[in-house]
mmCIF file of all heavy atoms in Angstrom:
data_model
loop_
_atom_site.group_PDB
_atom_site.id
_atom_site.type_symbol
_atom_site.label_atom_id
_atom_site.label_comp_id
_atom_site.label_asym_id
_atom_site.label_seq_id
_atom_site.Cartn_x
_atom_site.Cartn_y
_atom_site.Cartn_z
ATOM 1 N N THR A 1 83.483 9.860 236.433
ATOM 2 C CA THR A 1 83.006 8.891 237.445
ATOM 3 C C THR A 1 81.992 9.621 238.347
ATOM 4 O O THR A 1 80.849 9.116 238.577
ATOM 5 C CB THR A 1 84.154 8.305 238.361
ATOM 6 O OG1 THR A 1 84.998 7.656 237.444
ATOM 7 C CG2 THR A 1 83.572 7.385 239.378
ATOM 8 N N ALA A 2 82.239 10.881 238.724
ATOM 9 C CA ALA A 2 81.217 11.551 239.633
ATOM 10 C C ALA A 2 80.010 11.908 238.773
ATOM 11 O O ALA A 2 78.942 11.829 239.399
ATOM 12 C CB ALA A 2 81.958 12.886 240.145
ATOM 13 N N ALA A 3 80.237 12.308 237.575
ATOM 14 C CA ALA A 3 79.074 12.618 236.817
ATOM 15 C C ALA A 3 78.115 11.449 236.601
ATOM 16 O O ALA A 3 76.868 11.583 236.605
ATOM 17 C CB ALA A 3 79.493 13.174 235.456
ATOM 18 N N ARG A 4 78.688 10.235 236.355
ATOM 19 C CA ARG A 4 77.741 9.144 236.197
ATOM 20 C C ARG A 4 77.031 8.781 237.339
ATOM 21 O O ARG A 4 75.931 8.160 237.343
ATOM 22 C CB ARG A 4 78.827 7.840 235.817
ATOM 23 C CG ARG A 4 79.397 7.897 234.495
ATOM 24 C CD ARG A 4 79.921 6.556 234.072
ATOM 25 N NE ARG A 4 81.121 6.160 234.922
ATOM 26 C CZ ARG A 4 82.366 6.555 234.509
ATOM 27 N NH1 ARG A 4 82.526 7.248 233.420
ATOM 28 N NH2 ARG A 4 83.357 6.106 235.286
ATOM 29 N N LYS A 5 77.394 9.169 238.548
ATOM 30 C CA LYS A 5 76.668 8.903 239.786
ATOM 31 C C LYS A 5 75.412 9.792 239.865
ATOM 32 O O LYS A 5 74.455 9.433 240.559
ATOM 33 C CB LYS A 5 77.606 9.024 241.014
ATOM 34 C CG LYS A 5 78.614 8.049 241.036
ATOM 35 C CD LYS A 5 79.541 8.247 242.208
ATOM 36 C CE LYS A 5 80.669 7.169 242.310
ATOM 37 N NZ LYS A 5 81.539 7.351 243.494
ATOM 38 N N PHE A 6 75.480 11.030 239.375
ATOM 39 C CA PHE A 6 74.352 11.905 239.618
ATOM 40 C C PHE A 6 73.484 11.999 238.392
ATOM 41 O O PHE A 6 72.262 12.588 238.561
ATOM 42 C CB PHE A 6 74.866 13.324 240.017
ATOM 43 C CG PHE A 6 75.200 14.244 238.903
ATOM 44 C CD1 PHE A 6 74.236 14.940 238.186
ATOM 45 C CD2 PHE A 6 76.550 14.446 238.653
ATOM 46 C CE1 PHE A 6 74.700 15.813 237.179
ATOM 47 C CE2 PHE A 6 76.947 15.257 237.477
ATOM 48 C CZ PHE A 6 75.975 15.916 236.827
ATOM 49 N N LEU A 7 73.785 11.621 237.188
ATOM 50 C CA LEU A 7 72.945 11.711 235.988
ATOM 51 C C LEU A 7 71.735 10.957 236.144
ATOM 52 O O LEU A 7 71.780 9.679 236.230
ATOM 53 C CB LEU A 7 73.725 11.296 234.707
ATOM 54 C CG LEU A 7 74.857 12.274 234.356
ATOM 55 C CD1 LEU A 7 75.682 11.692 233.222
ATOM 56 C CD2 LEU A 7 74.422 13.698 233.973
ATOM 57 N N ARG A 8 70.600 11.498 236.168
ATOM 58 C CA ARG A 8 69.235 10.807 236.317
ATOM 59 C C ARG A 8 68.178 11.211 235.186
ATOM 60 O O ARG A 8 67.370 10.478 235.072
ATOM 61 C CB ARG A 8 68.707 11.068 237.724
ATOM 62 C CG ARG A 8 69.494 10.277 238.826
ATOM 63 C CD ARG A 8 69.392 8.767 238.678
ATOM 64 N NE ARG A 8 70.101 8.082 239.860
ATOM 65 C CZ ARG A 8 71.333 7.616 239.657
ATOM 66 N NH1 ARG A 8 72.081 7.891 238.591
ATOM 67 N NH2 ARG A 8 71.908 7.032 240.711
ATOM 68 N N THR A 9 68.346 12.483 234.778
ATOM 69 C CA THR A 9 67.297 13.046 233.841
ATOM 70 C C THR A 9 67.874 13.659 232.656
ATOM 71 O O THR A 9 69.033 14.155 232.703
ATOM 72 C CB THR A 9 66.512 14.051 234.597
ATOM 73 O OG1 THR A 9 67.254 15.029 235.134
ATOM 74 C CG2 THR A 9 65.613 13.383 235.781
ATOM 75 N N ALA A 10 67.180 13.542 231.579
ATOM 76 C CA ALA A 10 67.677 14.149 230.323
ATOM 77 C C ALA A 10 66.388 14.802 229.670
ATOM 78 O O ALA A 10 65.242 14.391 229.835
ATOM 79 C CB ALA A 10 68.218 13.156 229.394
ATOM 80 N N ILE A 11 66.622 15.804 228.707
ATOM 81 C CA ILE A 11 65.616 16.427 227.988
ATOM 82 C C ILE A 11 66.151 16.612 226.580
ATOM 83 O O ILE A 11 67.255 17.058 226.362
ATOM 84 C CB ILE A 11 65.121 17.798 228.579
ATOM 85 C CG1 ILE A 11 64.007 18.281 227.665
ATOM 86 C CG2 ILE A 11 66.244 18.771 228.672
ATOM 87 C CD1 ILE A 11 63.237 19.516 228.224
ATOM 88 N N VAL A 12 65.285 16.321 225.529
ATOM 89 C CA VAL A 12 65.747 16.478 224.122
ATOM 90 C C VAL A 12 64.904 17.713 223.677
ATOM 91 O O VAL A 12 63.652 17.724 223.794
ATOM 92 C CB VAL A 12 65.389 15.219 223.371
ATOM 93 C CG1 VAL A 12 65.867 15.473 221.892
ATOM 94 C CG2 VAL A 12 66.102 14.034 223.973
ATOM 95 N N ILE A 13 65.537 18.674 223.044
ATOM 96 C CA ILE A 13 64.895 19.811 222.423
ATOM 97 C C ILE A 13 65.238 19.863 221.014
ATOM 98 O O ILE A 13 66.219 20.158 220.544
ATOM 99 C CB ILE A 13 65.436 21.201 223.141
ATOM 100 C CG1 ILE A 13 65.201 21.052 224.680
ATOM 101 C CG2 ILE A 13 64.648 22.368 222.581
ATOM 102 C CD1 ILE A 13 66.015 22.215 225.434
ATOM 103 N N ASP A 14 64.235 19.678 220.243
ATOM 104 C CA ASP A 14 64.354 19.421 218.749
ATOM 105 C C ASP A 14 63.007 19.574 218.097
ATOM 106 O O ASP A 14 62.044 19.063 218.560
ATOM 107 C CB ASP A 14 65.079 18.212 218.403
ATOM 108 C CG ASP A 14 65.770 18.067 217.004
ATOM 109 O OD1 ASP A 14 65.036 18.605 216.091
ATOM 110 O OD2 ASP A 14 66.902 17.660 216.929
ATOM 111 N N ASP A 15 63.078 20.449 216.974
ATOM 112 C CA ASP A 15 61.841 20.538 216.258
ATOM 113 C C ASP A 15 61.579 19.365 215.256
ATOM 114 O O ASP A 15 60.420 19.232 214.652
ATOM 115 C CB ASP A 15 61.764 21.832 215.394
ATOM 116 C CG ASP A 15 62.921 21.905 214.344
ATOM 117 O OD1 ASP A 15 63.979 21.415 214.750
ATOM 118 O OD2 ASP A 15 62.706 22.590 213.314
ATOM 119 N N ASP A 16 62.539 18.471 215.150
ATOM 120 C CA ASP A 16 62.429 17.247 214.242
ATOM 121 C C ASP A 16 62.267 15.957 214.948
ATOM 122 O O ASP A 16 62.619 14.930 214.463
ATOM 123 C CB ASP A 16 63.627 17.331 213.295
ATOM 124 C CG ASP A 16 63.651 18.376 212.238
ATOM 125 O OD1 ASP A 16 62.562 18.584 211.701
ATOM 126 O OD2 ASP A 16 64.677 18.977 212.160
ATOM 127 N N ILE A 17 61.809 15.985 216.194
ATOM 128 C CA ILE A 17 61.463 14.826 216.987
ATOM 129 C C ILE A 17 60.346 14.075 216.280
ATOM 130 O O ILE A 17 59.441 14.638 215.892
ATOM 131 C CB ILE A 17 61.181 15.051 218.433
ATOM 132 C CG1 ILE A 17 62.408 15.600 219.157
ATOM 133 C CG2 ILE A 17 60.669 13.821 219.081
ATOM 134 C CD1 ILE A 17 62.141 16.158 220.582
ATOM 135 N N SER A 18 60.602 12.820 216.125
ATOM 136 C CA SER A 18 59.582 11.909 215.465
ATOM 137 C C SER A 18 59.242 10.619 216.264
ATOM 138 O O SER A 18 60.226 10.146 216.832
ATOM 139 C CB SER A 18 59.955 11.505 213.991
ATOM 140 O OG SER A 18 61.200 10.701 213.976
ATOM 141 N N ALA A 19 57.998 10.295 216.234
ATOM 142 C CA ALA A 19 57.650 8.990 216.859
ATOM 143 C C ALA A 19 57.211 8.059 215.699
ATOM 144 O O ALA A 19 56.435 8.387 214.950
ATOM 145 C CB ALA A 19 56.599 9.230 217.845
ATOM 146 N N PRO A 20 57.731 6.841 215.611
ATOM 147 C CA PRO A 20 57.473 5.912 214.641
ATOM 148 C C PRO A 20 55.991 5.504 214.653
ATOM 149 O O PRO A 20 55.469 5.118 215.703
ATOM 150 C CB PRO A 20 58.411 4.781 214.728
ATOM 151 C CG PRO A 20 58.634 4.817 216.159
ATOM 152 C CD PRO A 20 58.708 6.264 216.633
ATOM 153 N N ALA A 21 55.333 5.653 213.450
ATOM 154 C CA ALA A 21 53.960 5.061 213.383
ATOM 155 C C ALA A 21 53.938 3.594 213.191
ATOM 156 O O ALA A 21 54.942 2.978 212.551
ATOM 157 C CB ALA A 21 53.250 5.709 212.292
ATOM 158 N N GLU A 22 52.998 2.832 213.811
ATOM 159 C CA GLU A 22 53.031 1.485 213.717
ATOM 160 C C GLU A 22 51.847 0.964 212.784
ATOM 161 O O GLU A 22 50.848 1.570 212.795
ATOM 162 C CB GLU A 22 52.866 0.805 215.036
ATOM 163 C CG GLU A 22 54.012 1.131 215.920
ATOM 164 C CD GLU A 22 53.935 0.458 217.333
ATOM 165 O OE1 GLU A 22 52.872 -0.305 217.464
ATOM 166 O OE2 GLU A 22 54.739 0.676 218.220
ATOM 167 N N ALA A 23 52.162 -0.036 211.895
ATOM 168 C CA ALA A 23 51.106 -0.514 210.995
ATOM 169 C C ALA A 23 49.954 -1.088 211.887
ATOM 170 O O ALA A 23 50.143 -1.734 212.935
ATOM 171 C CB ALA A 23 51.658 -1.615 210.211
ATOM 172 N N ASN A 24 48.691 -0.902 211.458
ATOM 173 C CA ASN A 24 47.607 -1.344 212.172
ATOM 174 C C ASN A 24 47.223 -2.731 211.746
ATOM 175 O O ASN A 24 46.756 -2.952 210.637
ATOM 176 C CB ASN A 24 46.418 -0.362 211.870
ATOM 177 C CG ASN A 24 45.140 -0.672 212.708
ATOM 178 O OD1 ASN A 24 45.209 -1.515 213.636
ATOM 179 N ND2 ASN A 24 44.105 -0.034 212.595
ATOM 180 N N ASP A 25 47.471 -3.621 212.657
ATOM 181 C CA ASP A 25 47.291 -5.056 212.316
ATOM 182 C C ASP A 25 45.935 -5.528 212.706
ATOM 183 O O ASP A 25 45.629 -6.758 212.676
ATOM 184 C CB ASP A 25 48.412 -6.031 212.861
ATOM 185 C CG ASP A 25 49.801 -5.652 212.262
ATOM 186 O OD1 ASP A 25 49.750 -5.360 211.134
ATOM 187 O OD2 ASP A 25 50.717 -5.792 213.057
ATOM 188 N N ALA A 26 45.067 -4.633 213.385
ATOM 189 C CA ALA A 26 43.803 -5.023 213.901
ATOM 190 C C ALA A 26 42.877 -5.520 212.722
ATOM 191 O O ALA A 26 42.874 -5.015 211.562
ATOM 192 C CB ALA A 26 43.183 -3.924 214.574
ATOM 193 N N LYS A 27 42.085 -6.584 213.052
ATOM 194 C CA LYS A 27 41.167 -7.123 212.039
ATOM 195 C C LYS A 27 40.103 -5.981 211.610
ATOM 196 O O LYS A 27 39.565 -5.331 212.509
ATOM 197 C CB LYS A 27 40.372 -8.342 212.681
ATOM 198 C CG LYS A 27 39.589 -9.022 211.646
ATOM 199 C CD LYS A 27 38.969 -10.199 212.204
ATOM 200 C CE LYS A 27 37.979 -10.868 211.197
ATOM 201 N NZ LYS A 27 37.416 -11.964 211.802
ATOM 202 N N VAL A 28 39.927 -5.883 210.340
ATOM 203 C CA VAL A 28 38.875 -4.920 209.935
ATOM 204 C C VAL A 28 37.548 -5.448 210.056
ATOM 205 O O VAL A 28 37.289 -6.491 209.538
ATOM 206 C CB VAL A 28 39.164 -4.521 208.452
ATOM 207 C CG1 VAL A 28 38.067 -3.529 207.941
ATOM 208 C CG2 VAL A 28 40.615 -3.837 208.280
ATOM 209 N N LEU A 29 36.573 -4.782 210.781
ATOM 210 C CA LEU A 29 35.300 -5.167 211.038
ATOM 211 C C LEU A 29 34.309 -4.751 209.895
ATOM 212 O O LEU A 29 34.342 -3.610 209.418
ATOM 213 C CB LEU A 29 34.773 -4.714 212.377
ATOM 214 C CG LEU A 29 35.499 -5.278 213.558
ATOM 215 C CD1 LEU A 29 34.978 -4.522 214.850
ATOM 216 C CD2 LEU A 29 35.518 -6.729 213.651
#
């Protein structure tokens, strides 16, 4: 209960972190 009150920040350390790419739906000119 005490821990839940002070937890505000986190950091992830990993060499396999990935961000999903999104399909480009923009109209081709």
